[in-house]
Amino acid sequence: MASVARSSVLLKPVAAKQSVAANGLRVAAFHTTSRKSLLPPPPQRIEGTVNDPVEVPPPSPSHGSYHWTFDRVVAAGLIPLTVAPFAAGSLNPTMDAVLAATILIHSHTGFGNIIVDYVPSKRVPRARKFFTWGLNAATVLVGLALYEFETTDVGLTETIKRVWKA
């Protein structure tokens, strides 16, 4: 009986070492894959020294809370402008033009916020300028297209009404 107890006691550390080795191989195989980033980081540059104070930008009412409030007012204004032509039953060209302009402003400010947040001007200044000019060009192009659509065709709300019933 003593020999059976001794053999099981001796086998436990060996079994534990084998399971650790097997788990270690699985973990090591998982962690040894090479990590490749999609885009390499841009060149790093340091301006000044550690002891230089951070430059505080001048306050501007177009940034911060005023900008956020304007975005929310435009977004909230889209709700009644979208529902009113269909609920009232009248398709007014003035209401149609206001809806198209509000959608255009909402889209422009929303995409502008995306560019400001995700394309930093200090890190990639040329890309920031390119995307900003691209947004401005796209906004002008869509504005002209909406104007043509409103003046020469049936208009935005009538098109939505026709597509909804189709």
Side-chain angles (χ1 to χ4, degrees), residues 44-155:
Q44 303 292 316
R45 62 186 172 141
I46 298 173
E47 297 175 3
T49 65
V50 176
N51 295 325
D52 290 343
V54 176
E55 293 181 22
V56 178
S60 172
S62 65
H63 296 291
S65 65
Y66 294 121
H67 186 73
W68 186 88
T69 304
F70 176 74
D71 287 346
R72 295 308 163 271
V73 167
V74 169
L78 276 172
I79 296 169
L81 284 174
T82 306
V83 175
F86 304 107
S90 66
L91 300 173
N92 188 353
T94 306
M95 178 76 82
D96 219 19
V98 170
L99 175 63
T102 308
I103 289 173
L104 187 66
I105 292 168
H106 178 69
S107 300
H108 180 79
T109 57
F111 283 117
N113 290 339
I114 291 171
I115 291 171
V116 167
D117 288 344
Y118 295 107
V119 186
S121 59
K122 282 191 175 183
R123 189 169 173 193
V124 280
R126 290 183 185 164
R128 172 78 169 266
K129 187 177 281 190
F130 173 76
F131 283 119
T132 302
W133 278 103
L135 174 64
N136 293 338
T139 302
V140 167
L141 184 68
V142 170
L144 289 172
L146 282 171
Y147 174 76
E148 283 294 318
F149 186 67
E150 290 291 327
T151 56
T152 61
D153 209 345
V154 294

